[in-house]
Amino acid sequence: MADSWEALEQACMNCRECSLWETRKNVVFGVGSRDAEVLFIGEGPGANEDEQGEPFVGRAGKLLDDMLAIIGLKRENVYIANIVKCRPPENRDPLGVEQDACIGYLRRQTALLRPKIIVCLGRIAAMKIIREDFKISREHGQWFEKAGIQMMAVYHPAALLRDPRRRPEAFDDFKSLQAKINELCEHTKAE
Ligand code: URA
């Protein structure tokens, strides 16, 4: 049977494939347009996201919204999801077993969405999606192609909050994203 967003979301909401279900308040499935041509992938929910059930709603999320606005986009024009859908306690990095237990949901989201462009937000997403030994400080802003999808990683917004000196590089990466969207996307306008 063909997958559907509804079936997938339902399965994800009830998931107990790793131990993160025991401490979660909410599953953070994803947000945005289900016809989006651009998919942003973070690492996993933090405390605010766990409370609200939506990705990137804390300070890092506000910065992501500001970066999107610079290239004329709102979160409703794209889709935003995470590698793991439940909050790792104490905001630690998601463990390999947790990522492996959860990645199927992101793969099914990607299959339903069929994005033209994937943007990895930070090192953890880039290592899972682009290449296991991805080096964010060296390779952010570079384009890669996998299975016909153009992919790039940018610094995680939380890293930009910690180290504002990296913001000019992030700005350049978003300008490159803007150009790629306008080259490849049919109905997403980044102006
Ligand atoms: N950081 C992430 O990687 N994802 C979120 O949803 C929030 C913060």
Side-chain angles (χ1 to χ4, degrees), residues 42-46 49 55-56 60 82 156:
E43 68 181 66
E49 292 75 21
F56 287 98
N82 280 306
H156 194 287

Side-chain angles (χ1 to χ4, degrees), residues 28 41-46 49 54-58 60-61 80-82 121 156 158:
V28 180
I41 303 175
E43 68 181 66
E49 292 75 21
E54 186 173 327
F56 287 98
V57 289
I80 305 173
N82 280 306
L121 296 166
H156 194 287

